[in-house]
């Protein structure tokens, strides 16, 4: 299923040109127009899913192995020393296009800091209370 109003559906299905690095029956992988680093790519399913919670299980099962394949190719082809796999869900998490996608961001020695956070603190009691709230909602 596609969403005719979704720019990522149009890109993934070849209606809008892109710098494509990989394509199969389920995905198109393109270079990001606003890269965090040289080679920053987006994995786009050809079908429309708003976020990871809506993602079809068969498509989901293929997404992470594809991220590994693309990341390994980046290490060989671009000489990066590592890569981040980033996937945002919801506006407050930084999702700006509401079509599931994964960022594969090459990381280079001496490159800028990104995808980091300062660890906070939580007591054992707080952790257990929080874990219980999540456990109670798992279907």
């Amino acid at each position: 299923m596609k969403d005719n109003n979704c720019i990522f559906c149009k890109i993934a299905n070849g209606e809008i040109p892109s710098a494509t690095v990989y394509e199969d029956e389920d995905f198109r992988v393109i270079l990001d127009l606003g890269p965090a680093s040289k080679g920053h790519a987006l994995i786009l399913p050809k079908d429309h899913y708003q976020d990871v919670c809506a993602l079809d299980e068969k498509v989901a099962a293929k997404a992470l192995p594809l991220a590994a394949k693309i990341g390994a190719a980046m290490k060989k082809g671009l000489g990066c020393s590592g890569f981040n796999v980033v996937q945002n869900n919801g506006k407050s998490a930084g999702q700006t296009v509401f079509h599931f996608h994964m960022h594969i961001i090459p990381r280079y020695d001496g490159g800028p800091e990104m995808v980091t956070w300062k660890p906070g603190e939580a007591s054992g009691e707080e952790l257990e209370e929080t874990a219980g709230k999540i456990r109670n909602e798992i279907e």
Side-chain angles (χ1 to χ4, degrees):
M1 83 190 158
K2 311 272 183 294
D3 179 340
N4 292 330
N5 297 314
C6 175
I7 190 161
F8 278 4
C9 281
K10 291 176 182 180
I11 294 169
N13 290 285
E15 296 173 41
I16 294 175
S18 62
T20 299
V21 298
Y22 175 86
E23 182 177 11
D24 64 23
E25 64 276 0
D26 297 309
F27 298 95
R28 182 181 298 259
V29 181
I30 66 167
L31 293 182
D32 195 307
L33 290 175
S37 68
K38 182 178 182 174
H40 178 168
L42 299 175
I43 296 176
L44 306 175
K46 291 184 175 181
D47 284 334
H48 185 82
Y49 308 98
Q50 180 170 315
D51 58 24
V52 73
C53 297
L55 193 59
D56 176 82
E57 287 186 17
K58 290 179 184 175
V59 173
K62 296 176 182 178
L64 197 55
L66 179 55
K69 176 188 263 188
I70 300 302
M74 288 173 167
K75 289 173 78 173
K76 288 180 183 176
L78 301 176
C80 61
S81 56
F83 59 94
N84 292 108
V85 178
V86 179
Q87 203 284 306
N88 302 321
N89 293 279
K91 185 178 178 182
S92 62
Q95 186 177 10
T96 58
V97 179
F98 293 89
H99 176 112
F100 172 86
H101 58 285
M102 294 172 66
H103 296 259
I104 311 303
I105 305 171
R107 302 298 299 272
Y108 301 92
D109 289 337
E113 271 194 40
M114 60 180 98
V115 193
T116 63
W117 59 85
K118 188 174 189 173
E121 295 181 17
S123 68
E125 295 81 23
E126 182 182 358
L127 292 173
E128 190 52 45
E129 179 184 346
T130 302
K133 288 178 180 180
I134 297 168
R135 277 193 305 266
N136 290 339
E137 298 303 325
I138 296 175
E139 297 176 6

